[in-house]
Amino acid sequence: MAIVSNLSDKWVLIIDDMASMRNNLRMSLSSSGFARLHASTNIREALERMKNINYDVILCDYSLGESTDGQQFLEYLRTHDLIARNTVFIMITAEQSYAKVVAASECAPDDYLLKPFTAAQFNARLERLIERQAYLSSIDKAADRKDWAGMIAECDKLLPDKNKFYFDLCKIKGVALVRDQRYAEAEALYREIIGIRPLGWALLGLARTLAAVDRIDEALELSHEIVGEMPNFMAAYDFLGKLMHESGDKHKALDVLLKAREVAPGTMSRLREVSSIAMAVGKADIAEQVMKEMIAKHKHSPVKHPNDYAILSKALAKQNKTEEAFAALNEGKKIYGDMNDNTLFTLTESMIHFAARDNQAAQAALDRVLKSDSLANLSPDMLVFAAENSFALGHEFEATQLLRQVVQNHTGDNTARSKVHDAYMSFGKTDDEATELIESSSKEMISLNNEGVRKAQAGQLSEAIALLSEAAERLPNNLQVVGNAALIIALDLTRNGKDASKLRQCLNYRNALYKKSPKNPKIEQIDNLLNQLKST
């Protein structure tokens, strides 16, 4: 393995429940020059190790003798950004059927090895992957920073080589172009690749690009073609289902995802989506079946989520199986009872009490959420859930205000808007009324923001600060409002002198903006104004 000289500096994690396999892998790796080797017998141990070390290579057995397999673990790691982009992940398995599993998965390992394999085979695979890791390192570092423009620039430096990594580079660049909202360039790149070879990732990338610029009909048509021509390409099913759901065709979205479930058992994220859509279309029995199977299969898995128990509880409550619903909820509480925020379980409890016709207990549970200091920071899902509970208890105005808050706090989030639309229609409203709610909420927010900016431009800084600060506290995820609040407070500080309280407020908003949008142009403007304070 002469291609890379610093193998002794690379951290390697082996995850296998069989001591003999762990020892064999250790020996192969040591003889190849690796020195920083750790081994774990299960996923829980692995996750604990990964809290302190960023591993360069992970070797994971597919069948770990517990309720989560290696493929689901990989999905969990990548979905939650628990490993760097350039971490080499190799799956090791004795199951010949894994070839079909990995072919159907968008979240695939960098490579896999079928047992039994020789040391020579293992070293050859690893050598190739380490070479690729080194070649793409500058791109991967930019990806970990979420520097999409940097990723594109690094890809452009390497693409002229047209070597064996050419399609890897094109795939990476396409994703970065979409994330950087350079849709015309992304479309051109994907069409160029498709012209060379109709690769699944390029076809799906084009469909996603078309959807991003609201060419929904074209995206739907292409997605149907991909599923028809590549019936094992599970990522295409997921995207088509998502597109149909967001387009308002939830019944067909459910059909697509159930079809996907027939082709392959499904990732945990897909099963959760199936359950959520089933609930939205009134098929609580399907949601119950899917979630019961998933929870039973992954009962002792560290990659379960408290929402799994909440969805099951809701599905049971919708069918008036309230005793079973409380049992599922209590099981979730027992597992996740040490969480700091039990909002999800509290809302679920409220809903079950309502199904059991105990409105007083339902209202008491809901009030614990609505009177919480963390209400403004709740996710769109939680706010919509709270709105549904509030409406069920007869508080339509309060429910509508919660839905307005979702729209205003998550501008540009089509998924959140779709959930608001679905929730409002579940209140017995028409499609036009749901659309009007979303549009009027957006206009109200734009008007408020513009009024704050207008006051600032007119020199009415105190009024502008009061207006935008109130909005920023209520809508901490509306980056336009948060950014303008920080900018106007910074302007006030430069004009009217230092004020410790205002400076703290400004920095709080500025840091919140930076955390969610580090390349936001307002960051530089705010910092320039604050730097003027240092020189005075």
Side-chain angles (χ1 to χ4, degrees):
M1 299 182 70
I3 292 174
V4 181
S5 61
N6 62 335
L7 294 182
S8 62
D9 294 333
K10 291 188 177 293
W11 285 97
V12 182
L13 177 62
I14 301 164
I15 311 170
D16 199 302
D17 59 343
M18 293 183 63
S20 58
M21 180 56 69
R22 293 197 301 274
N23 292 334
N24 288 340
L25 290 173
R26 274 182 179 276
M27 290 172 60
S28 290
L29 290 162
S30 296
S31 64
S32 298
F34 290 93
R36 298 178 172 180
L37 304 174
H38 286 160
S40 296
T41 60
N42 56 52
I43 288 172
R44 291 183 188 278
E45 285 183 19
L47 287 172
E48 283 301 312
R49 287 190 179 277
M50 292 169 66
K51 288 179 181 179
N52 302 312
I53 297 173
N54 294 319
Y55 288 97
D56 300 288
V57 179
I58 297 175
L59 308 169
C60 183
D61 189 57
Y62 177 58
S63 301
L64 291 166
E66 52 184 26
S67 53
T68 297
D69 62 41
Q71 186 64 35
Q72 288 153 344
F73 181 50
L74 173 59
E75 178 200 0
Y76 177 78
L77 293 177
R78 289 192 175 156
T79 301
H80 292 82
D81 288 330
L82 296 178
I83 54 175
R85 180 184 167 84
N86 73 335
T87 297
V88 171
F89 193 105
I90 302 175
M91 199 76 71
I92 297 172
T93 179
E95 298 185 28
Q96 296 288 334
S97 61
Y98 182 71
K100 292 183 179 179
V101 173
V102 73
S105 176
E106 184 179 27
C107 190
D110 295 288
D111 206 343
Y112 68 94
L113 280 163
L114 289 173
K115 301 175 186 177
F117 52 84
T118 66
Q121 290 172 325
F122 173 70
N123 288 336
R125 295 283 185 92
L126 191 55
E127 179 178 348
R128 180 176 59 79
L129 292 171
I130 293 292
E131 178 192 8
R132 181 182 182 277
Q133 182 187 62
Y135 186 77
L136 300 177
S137 62
S138 60
I139 298 170
D140 292 334
K141 288 175 182 175
D144 288 337
R145 298 193 304 269
K146 294 183 170 48
D147 178 6
W148 316 127
M151 285 177 68
I152 295 164
E154 293 298 329
C155 285
D156 286 340
K157 291 178 186 176
L158 300 174
L159 279 167
D161 295 344
K162 291 200 171 180
N163 57 21
K164 60 186 176 182
F165 300 114
Y166 180 74
F167 284 120
D168 288 318
L169 290 167
C170 289
K171 185 176 182 180
I172 293 167
K173 181 180 177 181
V175 171
L177 284 168
V178 171
R179 292 191 173 178
D180 207 36
Q181 299 182 11
R182 291 158 64 171
Y183 301 120
E185 293 174 69
E187 180 179 352
L189 174 64
Y190 286 130
R191 291 194 184 279
E192 181 183 347
I193 297 302
I194 293 166
I196 300 171
R197 191 183 303 168
L199 297 168
W201 61 262
L203 290 163
L204 184 56
L206 177 58
R208 285 173 170 156
T209 304
L210 294 171
V213 292
D214 291 327
R215 291 158 64 181
I216 304 300
D217 289 342
E218 293 176 72
L220 282 168
E221 182 180 358
L222 179 54
S223 299
H224 278 292
E225 290 176 7
I226 298 170
V227 168
E229 294 173 9
M230 303 176 184
N232 291 326
F233 189 14
M234 304 313 296
Y237 287 95
D238 291 339
F239 178 70
L240 178 56
K242 177 177 181 290
L243 202 56
M244 286 178 162
H245 188 192
E246 291 180 355
S247 301
D249 202 343
K250 296 185 290 297
H251 288 276
K252 286 188 178 179
L254 180 60
D255 289 342
V256 166
L257 294 177
L258 289 174
K259 171 64 176 175
R261 194 164 175 248
E262 292 174 8
V263 177
T267 61
M268 295 175 84
S269 58
R270 186 181 309 125
L271 295 177
R272 288 166 182 146
E273 184 68 7
V274 167
S275 299
S276 295
I277 297 177
M279 290 294 293
V281 300
K283 294 188 176 182
D285 57 325
I286 293 178
E288 177 191 353
Q289 177 190 351
V290 172
M291 293 312 298
K292 271 187 174 178
E293 289 177 4
M294 192 175 97
I295 289 173
K297 182 178 179 181
H298 306 288
K299 187 173 182 65
H300 303 294
S301 169
V303 302
K304 286 202 316 299
H305 191 276
N307 197 43
D308 300 338
Y309 290 92
I311 293 175
L312 176 57
S313 300
K314 285 192 278 186
L316 291 164
K318 287 293 183 183
Q319 300 173 81
N320 295 317
K321 300 177 181 179
T322 53
E323 288 188 13
E324 290 183 64
F326 275 121
L329 177 65
N330 290 333
E331 184 179 351
K333 285 182 177 180
K334 191 181 298 182
I335 296 171
Y336 300 100
D338 59 346
M339 293 174 61
N340 292 328
D341 184 4
N342 281 306
T343 301
L344 174 64
F345 290 143
T346 305
L347 288 172
T348 306
E349 179 188 338
S350 174
M351 192 212 67
I352 301 173
H353 280 305
F354 177 77
R357 295 179 173 80
D358 187 348
N359 287 9
Q360 184 175 354
Q363 186 66 59
L366 178 61
D367 285 344
R368 293 203 299 274
V369 173
L370 297 182
K371 294 176 181 178
S372 166
D373 292 336
S374 63
L375 182 65
N377 289 304
L378 291 185
S379 69
D381 284 341
M382 290 298 96
L383 285 170
V384 168
F385 193 5
E388 291 169 341
N389 283 3
S390 191
F391 181 80
L393 289 164
H395 309 306
E396 181 174 343
F397 176 78
E398 290 81 355
T400 301
Q401 291 304 106
L402 287 168
L403 295 182
R404 284 185 175 279
Q405 183 172 338
V406 175
V407 175
Q408 295 176 348
N409 204 15
H410 300 275
T411 54
D413 186 337
N414 289 332
T415 301
R417 292 164 73 98
S418 176
K419 288 176 179 177
V420 167
H421 187 280
D422 292 347
Y424 205 51
M425 288 189 67
S426 75
F427 296 173
K429 306 298 182 180
T430 65
D431 178 77
D432 287 343
E433 287 174 319
T435 300
E436 168 60 22
L437 170 76
I438 293 170
E439 291 180 354
S440 65
S441 299
S442 297
K443 288 177 182 176
E444 179 183 300
M445 195 66 256
I446 292 169
S447 176
L448 184 152
N449 181 72
N450 290 345
E451 177 65 9
V453 172
R454 187 194 65 76
K455 286 182 178 295
Q457 291 172 340
Q460 299 171 300
L461 294 180
S462 295
E463 293 90 336
I465 290 171
L467 185 67
L468 290 174
S469 294
E470 186 278 330
E473 294 297 325
R474 183 168 56 89
L475 307 167
N477 291 301
N478 188 312
L479 301 188
Q480 185 177 30
V481 168
V482 172
N484 281 337
L487 185 61
I488 292 171
I489 296 172
L491 180 63
D492 179 83
L493 288 167
T494 60
R495 290 187 180 178
N496 299 315
K498 294 181 181 179
D499 180 297
S501 177
K502 284 183 180 178
L503 180 59
R504 280 194 303 273
Q505 187 181 26
C506 179
L507 289 173
N508 285 339
Y509 293 149
R510 182 264 182 208
N511 292 338
L513 178 64
Y514 181 83
K515 184 176 181 180
K516 293 171 183 173
S517 179
K519 291 190 171 296
N520 193 297
K522 283 193 176 71
I523 297 289
E524 184 177 359
Q525 298 175 46
I526 295 164
D527 288 349
N528 286 339
L529 288 169
L530 293 179
N531 286 334
Q532 292 179 32
L533 293 177
K534 296 178 183 178
S535 60
T536 60

